[in-house]
Amino acid sequence: MSEIVNPPIDKPSEPPNQGDETNASLTAPASVPEAARTPLEAGESAETASETFPPSPAIAPLPPGSRRAQRAQRSRQPPLDKPEKGGRKRNYTLITVVSTLRSMIMVFAVAVIVGTIFTSFTSNESLSAAARNNLAIAQVTEERRQIEPTSLPTPAWFNRIGIVPGHSGIATYGITAGHPDPGATCPDGFTELQVTTAVASKVVAALRGRGYTVDVFDEWDLKLDHPEPYQGAAFLSLHADSCGDFNDGFKHSGFKLSNPTLRATVRDQDLRFMDCLRDHYGTATGLPYAEYSVTENMTNYHSFHQIAQRTPAGIIELGFLHDDRDVLQNHADKLAQGIVNGLLCFLDPKSLATNTPLPTASRPASTTPAATALR
């Protein structure tokens, strides 16, 4: 049997789809450049070209103010330069620092205001005893600052002088303990205590007249170390030597001095104090300096252990009751003037109306075996 061949069935043609424009553009042959066209093609008439490629319709302008016009305008603008990341970080750091400082200032200001309000409405009873005591000291100090200064120096330790008339008061040591101790005594009853009290009274009056605060102590005065060791600008104890006739062929005359040789806290001041007394007392009285008879009772004088260790101190033997009796008994004013000048030389050299050169510190006299006793 012969094969039966079915004739081809013509499919109905489909209308062109608008979405196939893209595919058509992809499959359409590429246009030939002008240089690659043949002379015949290049010589085609304008009429043939117009028939082959009809002119494109004109594009209507976009209405001004429309969204499409705005998008087109933005697309034509050049892109803006973006800031660098480093600059942005620096700006952030500066802002952080400024904000922190401002916060700290605000916190401090608030703390000050709150503290001021709190202390204004807080009573003293809520404070501790130590705090109230310190507050009272501050209030008293402020009140004193408001006081008008006087013409005389205000008494204080730096212009305070301690004077001891030797053997004054009741003895608490030795054979005369519990009784008055007149010190060295001459056969006719002239005593060391008479000399020291007469000279001390004139010294105290002269120093107080110059504005100094002068404290007078007995020989064994408990106030020297109670409630605390005495502190002043200077401390001096007045004594006189024995009234004995030694019959050794020598004239026992003159004065002698000593300072606390067992301490070294204000050694330079002690030495300068003694030098001032030696020069001015010898000049005023005419008595020689009898350094040969300085005893341990002077270098280790008991009052040196009662006063503050930073108080310049000394002891002076005004003269011998036997050989120097005339000046000791009849010229107490000269003895007092020599002591006052020595103290002023040490405390206020400018107040001395004298051309006497100021002494320099020197080594104290070496002690020798006692030729005479202090008592």
Side-chain angles (χ1 to χ4, degrees):
M1 293 178 63
S2 60
E3 296 181 357
I4 299 175
V5 179
N6 294 325
I9 301 174
D10 296 333
K11 295 181 179 181
S13 60
E14 296 179 357
N17 190 2
Q18 295 179 356
D20 294 339
E21 294 176 0
T22 304
N23 296 330
S25 64
L26 294 175
T27 57
S31 61
V32 180
E34 185 70 21
R37 295 175 63 182
T38 60
L40 180 61
E41 293 175 345
E44 291 179 351
S45 62
E47 183 179 356
T48 305
S50 62
E51 292 177 357
T52 307
F53 302 99
S56 59
I59 300 174
L62 298 174
S66 63
R67 293 184 178 179
R68 295 181 62 186
Q70 293 176 0
R71 285 198 296 269
Q73 183 178 3
R74 283 197 299 269
S75 64
R76 289 193 297 270
Q77 292 178 353
L80 299 177
D81 295 335
K82 295 182 179 181
E84 298 181 359
K85 294 183 178 180
R88 183 176 299 176
K89 289 183 178 179
R90 285 195 294 270
N91 293 337
Y92 288 160
T93 304
L94 180 61
I95 294 173
T96 303
V97 172
V98 173
S99 301
T100 304
L101 291 177
R102 183 174 60 183
S103 302
M104 293 176 63
I105 293 173
M106 291 296 295
V107 170
F108 179 76
V110 171
V112 171
I113 295 173
V114 173
T116 304
I117 297 174
F118 178 76
T119 54
S120 299
F121 293 95
T122 302
S123 61
N124 293 337
E125 286 72 15
S126 62
L127 302 176
S128 63
R132 289 198 300 269
N133 185 31
N134 294 334
L135 182 60
I137 294 174
Q139 292 175 346
V140 172
T141 303
E142 183 63 25
E143 291 176 358
R144 289 184 177 180
R145 288 179 179 176
Q146 298 175 358
I147 298 176
E148 294 294 331
T150 59
S151 58
L152 295 178
T154 303
W157 73 266
F158 51 82
N159 71 337
R160 184 180 294 274
I161 302 172
I163 298 294
V164 175
H167 299 279
S168 58
I170 303 299
T172 59
Y173 180 80
I175 60 176
T176 58
H179 302 279
D181 179 15
T185 304
C186 294
D188 60 353
F190 181 59
T191 65
E192 179 181 359
L193 180 61
Q194 292 176 334
V195 176
T196 58
T197 53
V199 175
S201 63
K202 295 181 180 297
V203 170
V204 171
L207 292 174
R208 287 176 177 172
R210 289 179 173 267
Y212 288 93
T213 300
V214 184
D215 301 310
V216 181
F217 299 98
D218 291 336
E219 180 69 46
W220 300 95
D221 204 320
L222 297 178
K223 295 192 298 294
L224 279 175
D225 54 357
H226 289 85
E228 58 185 12
Y230 179 75
Q231 183 175 7
F235 175 84
L236 183 63
S237 182
L238 311 182
H239 288 264
D241 219 321
S242 66
C243 193
D245 184 3
F246 299 100
N247 294 320
D248 55 2
F250 296 96
K251 181 177 179 61
H252 295 272
S253 174
F255 68 97
K256 48 190 177 181
L257 299 163
S258 181
N259 59 338
T261 57
L262 299 180
R263 72 175 184 182
T265 50
V266 286
R267 186 65 170 168
D268 56 337
Q269 297 185 46
D270 288 338
L271 295 177
R272 189 166 59 86
F273 184 25
M274 294 298 98
D275 289 342
C276 282
L277 283 174
R278 183 189 64 237
D279 293 344
H280 288 277
Y281 185 81
T283 301
T285 62
L287 294 175
Y289 179 49
E291 60 179 347
Y292 61 89
S293 59
V294 175
T295 65
E296 185 180 358
N297 288 335
M298 297 179 64
T299 58
N300 197 26
Y301 181 53
H302 65 89
S303 293
F304 292 160
H305 303 282
Q306 296 177 269
I307 62 175
Q309 290 300 304
R310 300 194 65 84
T311 299
I315 180 175
I316 180 172
E317 294 281 356
L318 301 172
F320 285 83
L321 292 179
H322 184 271
D323 291 357
D324 301 321
R325 179 164 180 168
D326 179 62
V327 66
L328 296 179
Q329 187 174 12
N330 302 319
H331 301 283
D333 54 340
K334 292 183 179 181
L335 278 63
Q337 188 62 49
I339 293 174
V340 170
N341 289 347
L343 286 167
L344 294 178
C345 165
F346 174 66
L347 299 175
D348 187 15
K350 295 181 180 180
S351 64
L352 285 175
T354 176
N355 294 326
T356 304
L358 296 180
T360 56
S362 61
R363 292 286 182 181
S366 59
T367 58
T368 58
T372 58
L374 178 62
R375 306 289 189 268

